[in-house]
Structures are given as structure tokens and as C-alpha cells.
Amino acid sequence: MARRAPGLLALLLLVAGSGLSAQELRLAQVPVSGRTGLDSLARLGFEVADVRMVAGQLTAVIVVSTQTERLLGSRGFAVAAVAGAPPPSALAADTFKVYRSFDKPGTGIRATLAAWAAADTLIHVDSIGSSIEGRPVLAVKIGDSGDSPARPNVLFIGTHHAREWVSTEVAMRLIRWLADSLPRPLLASRDIWVIPVENPDGYQYTFTTTRLWRKNRRPNADGTFGVDPNRNYPAFWGADDAGSSPMPGSEIYRGPAPASEPETQAIMAFHAAHPPVLAISYHSYTDLVLYPYGFRYGELAPDLTVFQALAGTDLQPGVRDSVPASTLSAYHPGPGWTLYTTNGEYTDWAYRAFGAFAFTAELTSGCCTPDSGFYYGFVFPDDSALVNHVFRDNLPLALAVIAAAGDPTATLGPSGLRPAAQRIESLWPETRISLAATTPAPFSLTVRTATGQIVTRNARADSLWRGRLRTSWRSDVSTDGARAVRVDGAGLAAELVTIAGAEEGEPSWSAGGTWTRTSDALVGRYAWYGSGNDTLTSPIVDLRGRTRVWLQFWTKYAGSGFALQQRGQVQFSPDSGRTWSDVAALAGSAPAWYPLRVDLPTGAGAAGGRVRFIDRGLPWWLDAVGVATDSTAVFQLLAAAGGADVSENPVRSDQVVISWAAGTTPARVGIYTFMGERLIATSVPPPNNEYVWDLKAGGRRMPNGAYLVVVQVDGRVFRRRLFLTRAGT
Ligand SMILES: [Zn+2]
């Protein structure tokens, strides 16, 4: 609080005192000036529900009361009604076709669950705690009534936020579908739980009093009501005042202490008793599938590739949007911060506390194409067929999550993605390594620098913590000018075939339109920056003799999780730019640099590898762009005394000398093609310890490519990968 100006503090106290107007909550829009404006709205305690372009002006959609609207006006914000939004006053009734309150006799959530449990032996309902007003937090178990430690737990949660009704209806449909249609062997091998209403008091209040109420119904000390249940978990709680608010009147008030709320405590006790391997928390809206971390921009979870396999990527999204006239065709998947940062949030907590692969699904886009003139925001239409679209769109991810609980290493996402094996995620300027969580620490890195020096350094263990399947290690190798690294003891090595970062003197890139050099760089003096609809194309990279090729780049972008039409597209060409294919896509907000690894299967052996970055209106930064390979030969000459060695590698002449420490018995030398075909099999008696491979023997020139040399001497076996890269073949 000490950092704030007195005038702002006075304003905050006024906001805090605005609880009396709770019954007048309505959707409103305010023009903002980019991220600064959005951040200041968050710091004033507003939850930014949406960001749209209205008459060419970036406009935030928020929920206001008469008081908060007046206060925004006094801060210079021009508050207006949202065109096409349904009036909330008409909705505060309990006579809908689809939606039902928690308490409604006969057909409410509580009564419906009781009726289902009475009629169906596969549905069991239990209270896992009580809300502030004494309502039960109900957990539904589908399948066997007993809870077996042999069966992995999977959890689905609806309605942390009271007004997000469609999330409860999706959870209710999921209960019904699992009991009626989930294949029985799968049902019998999982403990599947659904908590359709995490926040029953707030949910009930949206039916009786205020349709757009968000929080629970905690009476706060200052006369306001409510704590945001999705900012109250004890992970990064209160890490800053943008990801949650200390002001009781705020929509994103985090509460007076971590886990201060009985609803939060109920969820925590449930997790302690039934720790889920995977979980989905349903919210609305914005068409997103978010996963940890969300508390800090640029922070990536050690298990990133497991999250990506399930949620998908912007190139291969895991959840489609089939709601008619929706502005988007798929949900954007990404770490929570690609929308905005949050703290005290459920998925960060479930992942950190229990290693749970936990997702936030922000259901539906909020609708609709501009010419439809329709906008529903939080008030998803009371239309069973439309709600069913949302349920059906989200079912494949729910089923993939249930399937993955048996063995997360064998995860198969709804778009066909699987988690990557342990690997080097980025080589330079920071080496990031994703290792099996069981790998002992610490370990050392051997680094080959740009000048050919070999440096050994201990990997600095500054990753946040171990994940469930992977440990993420980072080591700053920028001062080493690292061009290749080997992770000693882990069987991993990688080499940069080429690296570029918009520096002067680099091979020339083709920078179209708005692409320009900027001094806002990750490393060195410059980075690339684009802000229009233009293409940045790399020079041609010779990848002959290279297998397991991948692209590394560091990036940040000033897009928006609410404006997913702004995109960055990454393409690769194996034939110098004649044909291109998409290898990655980016969307959302990423104001901090982070690295991406993109595998390039078509790059293996390509003579004319080329990468291009196509901007689709995304303000976009790129630096440390490199093509790398996992199958590096640069460390093979480092073999300890006694190993086999070769005279050059890659081989550019027509003879290569293979040598080894002389033994006491004849050495057997074998040379194989990379496909395993044996070309040479010979024996060399001691004290001779060399074999000369003539690449023109028999009048036939050995083709360029990768070969394997195997030398067996005195019971030891040495293997060398050899690359022939001679000119003119
Ligand atoms: Zn929500």
C-alpha cells in the first residue's frame, strides 16, 4: 500500500465501500490504452472479462455497479453499456429451461443430484464441506461407490465463479454422460469425481438477486461481500496486486488469508483425501484451455509437454468451438499468463501441491461474429442445444484426461499430441533441459563454445521445483557463447547448426514490411520486432547429414488472450523456400521472453532448410533463433583416453582415419550405414590401432550422410557417428 499515491488509496477505499450496490451489477465497456489500461483496471480491482475492438478502439468489458462506474468516470474512463448484451435484471428468476439454482425444490442442482443418486447405482453424492451460508459443497462420484487407492482420481469442477452458469451445466451433463456412456472398463479403473458447484452461495445469489455476482458470499469486515474463490488458494497467494486484489470490494478479492474461505478448505480437504492425477476446472468465458503456471509472465511448468499434449497447441488445439456464429473455431491453449496473471488460483495450487495436471477451461467465446449483433458474455443463452454444443466440444478433452490418469507418460491428447521425451528445450542463451523427474541432481553440462572451447559447468538448479514427470533445469550459458551442450549422465546432447538474433554481420534475413531490428533484445544488441501482417524469412541452412532437427527461438508478444485472431505463424521449408508448412502458431499475451522448441522432422538431411515467421497483426519479438540437432557429433572427439577417435568429423575429404587405444587382442572394426547395413567388417591385429576408410574404394564414391563406426577391442565397444559432408557428391 505504501507504494500507492494517496489519491489512488482514497479511490480504492471508495471501491471497497461499494458493496451496497451489489444488486445493480451490469456489464459495461471502457476504452483502454493497451496493456497499461488493462493493468490499471486489474489494479483497481476489476476482473477484465473481455477485450474487444469497438469502432477501432481497444475496449475492455467489465462488470460494474453504479458506484464503481462513477469511480471509473472520475479516473477518466468512459464507461458505456455493452451493445447487444442481455439485460441482467431480466434474468434474476429461477424459471429457465436449462439453468436451475442450487436450492430450487425438485429441479435444482441439489435436488437433481439427489434424484440421480437415488435412481442410478453409478452416481454417488457426498458433501465435502459447507459454504459460509451452510450449503453443502457436493462431490459426485461416478462408478463404484468405494474409493480405491489402486484407482487414480480424476476431478472436474464447475462454478468457482457464481455467474458462470454454463460451467455448472457442462459439469452436470458430464456426470450424466459418464454414468450413461463411459466405457465400463475405463469407469471401473478410475475414481472419477465431479463437483458441479464449488461456490453454492454465490451461485444461488445469482438466481435470487444479482445475475452477475462472481464471488462467494463472505461478509467482509468493511461491509462488502465476497471473496474470489479462485484467488483464495494457498499457491502464490497475494503474490502481487494485479493477479488478485487486497480490496474486499473487488471482484478479485483474495480474502484476508490463504484458504480463508470454507469452500476453499472443502476443496483442499477433498484433494488431500483424493489427490487427483488430472483435473479440469470449468469457467466461462473466452475460449481458452489454460494450465500452470499463471502467476508470473513467461513461467513454464516442468511438465509443459504433458499439459500441451492434452490442451493442444495453437497449431493443433485440443478443444474445438462449434457454437454457431462463435468468433473462434477453437480454444486457445496455453499457460495461464497468456490470458493474464492470477495468484491464489486453483490450477497452480493443484499442480504445485499435488502434481495434478490441472486445467482451466474457459467455456465458449462470449460470442459472436460482428454481423450477428449478438453478445452474451457470462449470460450464455438458456438453450439446451447450445449448451450441448459446449458440452460436446469439451468432452474429448475430458475423456483424454480420464484416459491419461492411468499413466500420464502415455498421455494422448484429443488432437493426437503426446508428451515429448526428455530433451533439451533451448540451447542458448539459456540451456533449458527437460529431464525425467527421477533424474538425480545435480549434474554437469559440457559446453562447446563458438570458438571451439570446451567448458564444463554445473547445471544451476534454479528451476522452481520438480514436476510430476519432468524436472526442468536451466543454466545461463550466454557468456559461454554455447554452440553445443551435452548433459553428462543423461544421454542428451544438442548442437546449434545456426543461430541468429538480428545482430549486425549475421547472414542476411529477409525482413518484410514492419519487421525491424529493435534494441528490446533478449541477448546481444538487437532482436527482431514485427507489428503488422508481414513475413520474416531466414537464410538457407544446410542440414545435410543432420538428423533430429529442431527450431529454437525465444519470443514475446503483446497480443491478448481476448483477441486470439492476432497470431504469429511459424513455417519451415526443407527446399529453400519452394514449399512451406506450418510448424507452430502463437496467440495470446506473452510480455516476458520465453523459449520454444519446435521439432522439424522434414528438416533432417535437408539441403535448403529455411524458417519464416508470418505476423498476423501480433506485436511480436524474436531473438536467439536457431536450428539445432540432437544428433551432434561435436563431442565425439572428446572421448576419454581409450576411446575410439576419427581424423575428422564431419568428413570433408576422401579418407577418414579411425583410431583407438591399442589393445592386446585384434580389434574388430565395423562400419554401417545409418540404416544398419554393414559396409565394412575387418580385423586389425595389435599393435596396429588404426583403420583407414577409403571413401573412394572400388571406384565408387561413398554417398554423403551419417554412418556408424563400431570398434571392439579387448571386450570394450566404441561407437562413433560419422558424417560425410564432402563437396561434389
Ligand atoms: Zn471464472
Side-chain angles (χ1 to χ4, degrees):
M1 293 298 263
R3 282 170 291 141
R4 290 202 187 95
L8 182 55
L9 179 59
L11 173 70
L12 299 181
L13 293 173
L14 279 167
V15 172
S18 65
L20 292 175
S21 62
Q23 302 195 15
E24 304 156 24
L25 296 181
R26 63 193 167 275
L27 220 51
Q29 61 185 38
V30 286
V32 288
S33 53
R35 171 154 299 283
T36 327
L38 295 174
D39 279 352
S40 58
L41 281 176
R43 287 180 183 276
L44 287 170
F46 289 94
E47 189 234 6
V48 175
D50 201 352
V51 179
R52 306 192 294 162
M53 291 302 283
V54 176
Q57 166 70 51
L58 195 64
T59 302
V61 175
I62 54 175
V63 174
V64 298
S65 65
T66 305
Q67 276 85 346
T68 56
E69 179 174 348
R70 203 177 297 142
L71 291 163
L72 281 172
S74 76
R75 295 287 294 174
F77 285 99
V79 186
V82 175
S89 55
L91 298 159
D94 207 349
T95 55
F96 301 95
K97 294 194 287 289
V98 175
Y99 302 115
R100 50 283 180 72
S101 71
F102 196 79
D103 297 345
K104 189 177 185 182
T107 56
I109 298 297
R110 194 174 178 173
T112 301
L113 292 178
W116 286 356
D120 193 323
T121 55
L122 291 176
I123 296 179
H124 317 278
V125 182
D126 217 341
S127 170
I128 59 166
S130 264
S131 69
I132 283 172
E133 294 176 353
R135 290 185 180 82
V137 178
L138 297 176
V140 180
K141 185 167 189 300
I142 300 101
D144 194 294
S145 65
D147 177 20
S148 165
R151 289 191 295 253
N153 293 295
V154 185
L155 174 64
F156 302 91
I157 310 180
T159 301
H160 274 80
H161 293 138
R163 61 196 173 204
E164 298 166 10
W165 292 359
V166 73
S167 74
T168 283
E169 284 309 318
V170 164
M172 293 294 279
R173 275 167 168 72
L174 184 62
I175 294 169
R176 221 29 288 168
W177 192 93
L178 294 173
D180 296 342
S181 308
L182 187 68
R184 291 309 183 241
L186 196 52
L187 191 63
S189 61
R190 304 283 185 274
D191 281 332
I192 305 175
W193 309 83
V194 181
I195 297 170
V197 185
E198 191 274 349
N199 170 13
D201 295 349
Y203 181 71
Q204 186 62 29
Y205 190 70
T206 58
F207 283 84
T208 59
T209 314
T210 301
R211 174 66 185 89
L212 292 181
W213 188 254
R214 171 180 166 93
K215 301 187 286 181
N216 75 354
R217 290 297 297 162
R218 157 76 64 190
N220 295 320
D222 66 350
T224 65
F225 281 86
V227 169
D228 183 339
N230 208 33
R231 300 292 186 276
N232 189 236
Y233 288 95
F236 316 110
W237 182 89
D240 61 46
D241 291 348
S244 69
S245 174
M247 299 178 291
S250 161
E251 294 254 273
I252 51 172
Y253 175 46
R254 58 184 168 242
S260 58
E261 302 311 291
E263 298 89 352
T264 312
Q265 292 159 16
I267 298 294
M268 290 171 65
F270 176 86
H271 279 66
H274 317 279
V277 180
L278 298 106
I280 300 179
S281 177
Y282 293 114
H283 288 249
S284 82
Y285 58 97
T286 312
D287 267 359
L288 303 163
V289 183
L290 303 176
Y291 48 78
Y293 294 108
F295 76 102
R296 184 159 69 208
Y297 288 117
E299 202 59 64
L300 302 176
D303 290 305
L304 177 66
T305 65
V306 183
F307 287 108
Q308 280 178 333
L310 285 160
T313 62
D314 282 306
L315 194 61
Q316 290 172 271
V319 179
R320 299 277 160 194
D321 183 343
S322 72
V323 174
S326 171
T327 47
L328 296 164
S329 60
Y331 291 25
H332 158 74
W337 48 258
T338 59
L339 178 64
Y340 46 62
T341 56
T342 55
N343 50 57
E345 180 272 342
Y346 169 73
T347 62
D348 272 11
W349 171 77
Y351 181 56
R352 191 182 183 191
F354 293 96
F357 299 109
F359 298 85
T360 294
E362 291 282 359
L363 303 170
T364 89
S365 66
C367 239
C368 278
T369 48
D371 51 335
S372 70
F374 179 50
Y375 188 85
Y376 58 75
F378 294 108
V379 185
F380 192 81
D382 182 32
D383 178 318
S384 188
L386 287 179
V387 173
N388 220 35
H389 269 290
V390 182
F391 168 67
R392 286 279 163 186
D393 288 344
N394 282 274
L395 187 57
L397 178 60
L399 296 181
V401 155
I402 290 169
D407 175 9
T409 60
T411 294
L412 175 61
S415 60
L417 295 173
R418 291 185 182 278
Q422 64 171 7
R423 62 184 191 177
I424 293 172
E425 298 283 345
S426 156
L427 207 150
W428 182 84
E430 185 181 85
T431 298
R432 289 200 182 188
I433 307 156
S434 169
L435 284 176
T438 49
T439 307
F443 57 90
S444 67
L445 285 183
T446 298
V447 176
R448 186 186 169 96
T449 69
T451 56
Q453 261 190 303
I454 303 298
V455 182
T456 302
R457 45 181 24 257
N458 290 321
R460 192 157 52 90
D462 63 356
S463 61
L464 280 168
W465 43 78
R466 283 164 182 261
R468 192 183 190 101
L469 299 181
R470 293 278 180 272
T471 300
S472 168
W473 290 91
R474 303 173 186 182
S475 194
D476 181 344
V477 292
S478 57
T479 53
D480 293 335
R483 289 300 173 268
V485 300
R486 184 178 66 195
V487 188
D488 296 305
L492 294 178
E495 175 189 355
L496 282 168
V497 180
T498 178
I499 184 77
E503 303 301 318
E504 283 153 351
E506 285 180 350
S508 59
W509 286 53
S510 161
T514 60
W515 283 102
T516 177
R517 288 186 159 85
T518 169
S519 57
D520 183 1
L522 169 75
V523 65
R525 283 190 65 190
Y526 298 109
W528 290 111
Y529 174 71
S531 57
N533 284 281
D534 304 302
T535 300
L536 175 71
T537 309
S538 82
I540 290 167
V541 184
D542 185 352
L543 297 168
R544 284 177 294 176
R546 305 293 192 171
T547 55
R548 298 181 62 191
V549 173
W550 48 280
L551 171 68
Q552 83 146 47
F553 61 97
W554 287 69
T555 190
K556 60 178 183 170
Y557 34 95
S560 164
F562 301 105
L564 297 166
Q565 294 84 354
Q566 293 181 338
R567 285 186 176 238
Q569 189 179 358
V570 186
Q571 294 187 328
F572 179 74
S573 169
D575 52 15
S576 308
R578 279 193 295 280
T579 58
W580 295 94
S581 51
D582 286 332
V583 293
L586 304 170
S589 119
W593 289 102
Y594 72 98
L596 259 93
R597 171 180 167 143
V598 178
D599 287 328
L600 303 173
T602 62
R610 217 165 179 194
V611 178
R612 70 181 182 190
F613 298 88
I614 305 172
D615 195 358
R616 308 279 185 210
L618 186 72
W620 193 6
W621 288 257
L622 295 164
D623 207 348
V625 181
V627 176
T629 170
D630 287 332
S631 54
T632 173
V634 301
F635 294 106
Q636 293 179 357
L637 298 175
L638 302 173
D645 214 339
V646 289
S647 54
E648 65 170 344
N649 195 7
V651 179
R652 294 192 174 85
S653 57
D654 282 325
Q655 275 192 341
V656 56
V657 182
I658 299 159
S659 59
W660 56 91
T664 57
T665 57
R668 291 166 58 198
V669 178
I671 301 177
Y672 301 82
T673 67
F674 212 67
M675 302 305 293
E677 182 197 348
R678 191 168 66 186
L679 302 170
I680 307 280
T682 190
S683 177
V684 180
N688 294 327
N689 64 333
E690 279 187 352
Y691 174 78
V692 180
W693 185 21
D694 182 356
L695 304 175
K696 294 188 300 184
R700 176 175 159 258
R701 247 184 141 208
M702 202 57 65
N704 279 346
Y707 295 82
L708 192 65
V709 175
V710 180
V711 180
Q712 299 177 60
V713 56
D714 286 354
R716 290 177 300 170
V717 182
F718 305 109
R719 289 188 176 79
R720 285 288 172 274
R721 212 169 287 159
L722 200 57
F723 295 95
L724 309 190
T725 59
R726 295 153 303 151
T729 52

